Amino acid sequence: SLEAKVVTHYQYGPMDGKGNGELSLFRKTFEFLKENQVIVGDSNFDSYYDLAVLVERKVNCVFGINGTRDNPFVGQDTPQSGETTRVLERPSFDHNRINREAWEKLPSTVTIRIIAFPVEGRSDQKFIVTTLLDQKEYPAEELSELYGLRWEAELDIRCLKSVMDLADMRCQTPQGLIRELAVNILAYNLVA
């Protein structure tokens, strides 16, 4: 939580095989999300499926733009800042990405806002995708600042790994590892 500076929920998964990636673990958290929450994440989470499911749950998002997404701001005369709204169409079915039942439940379109903004001290710019469509209520500048705060969460995760020494867990059983993780997160929350 950027607001509370504590871990409000976490997921764990197998060391290898299906379901161990960051995106799979992220999707397991959907059931814990509450209406009107805002999820801030990197470009790994900018997919039609995740945007559609979050919008359906009335959860908003601010993600970095995925490199595979058509970016209207990329070009020779790219402005330093700007925004546009796009209506995304549901992609064709791909059994390697999603099962047929989940794909059929997706809406036929999702509306997103793409924001380009300059990065202080750098000559390039960043791009974000958001489901917060109201430009007056959610100004582009505030959303770009919010996205910048995502880095603080990354530093908190690094703190868990290095300062809390979770990079090398010591327990020898799956149940022991689950308890070790939970105790370290509890300790982190107590001092956060």
Side-chain angles (χ1 to χ4, degrees):
S1 169
L2 286 173
E3 184 178 43
K5 303 291 185 197
V6 296
V7 176
T8 58
H9 187 80
Y10 63 94
Q11 287 289 336
Y12 53 85
M15 290 282 294
D16 56 12
K18 201 160 184 73
N20 74 330
E22 188 177 8
L23 197 51
S24 296
L25 296 174
F26 171 61
R27 289 174 178 163
K28 288 181 181 180
T29 66
F30 287 1
E31 65 184 281
F32 301 101
L33 299 175
K34 294 179 177 51
E35 192 173 310
N36 296 320
Q37 280 186 310
V38 178
I39 304 299
V40 182
D42 63 25
S43 61
N44 188 39
F45 304 112
D46 172 24
S47 74
Y48 187 91
Y49 174 81
D50 296 306
L51 292 167
V53 170
L54 291 171
V55 166
E56 185 176 302
R57 292 177 169 271
K58 295 181 174 53
V59 173
N60 286 295
C61 62
V62 177
F63 296 147
I65 194 168
N66 191 299
T68 61
R69 180 163 313 287
D70 177 36
N71 186 339
F73 296 106
V74 171
Q76 292 183 349
D77 296 326
T78 304
Q80 282 298 305
S81 62
E83 63 180 284
T84 187
T85 303
R86 289 279 168 99
V87 176
L88 305 176
E89 293 188 20
R90 179 175 62 183
S92 53
F93 175 69
D94 180 353
H95 72 278
N96 292 315
R97 294 179 170 261
I98 190 172
N99 65 47
R100 173 71 71 176
E101 182 183 354
W103 179 81
E104 288 176 355
K105 287 181 181 177
L106 294 175
S108 59
T109 63
V110 171
T111 304
I112 61 168
R113 210 169 132 199
I114 301 173
I115 301 171
F117 61 94
V119 180
E120 191 175 325
R122 293 175 54 172
S123 61
D124 63 343
Q125 64 196 97
K126 289 281 186 188
F127 307 99
I128 55 176
V129 171
T130 183
T131 55
L132 295 164
L133 303 177
D134 188 326
Q135 296 177 359
K136 289 184 180 173
E137 190 171 353
Y138 308 105
E141 186 176 306
E142 288 182 14
L143 292 178
S144 64
E145 287 176 21
L146 176 63
Y147 182 73
L149 293 175
R150 180 192 65 81
W151 185 244
E152 289 188 27
E154 296 283 347
L155 294 176
D156 290 340
I157 292 169
R158 185 175 9 174
C159 178
L160 277 167
K161 291 178 181 177
S162 59
V163 176
M164 303 293 290
D165 204 20
L166 273 178
D168 298 311
M169 296 176 74
R170 290 160 188 79
C171 290
Q172 302 294 314
T173 65
Q175 296 80 13
L177 290 169
I178 292 168
R179 283 192 293 271
E180 184 178 353
L181 177 62
V183 167
N184 274 280
I185 288 175
L186 175 62
Y188 172 82
N189 281 349
L190 288 171
V191 297

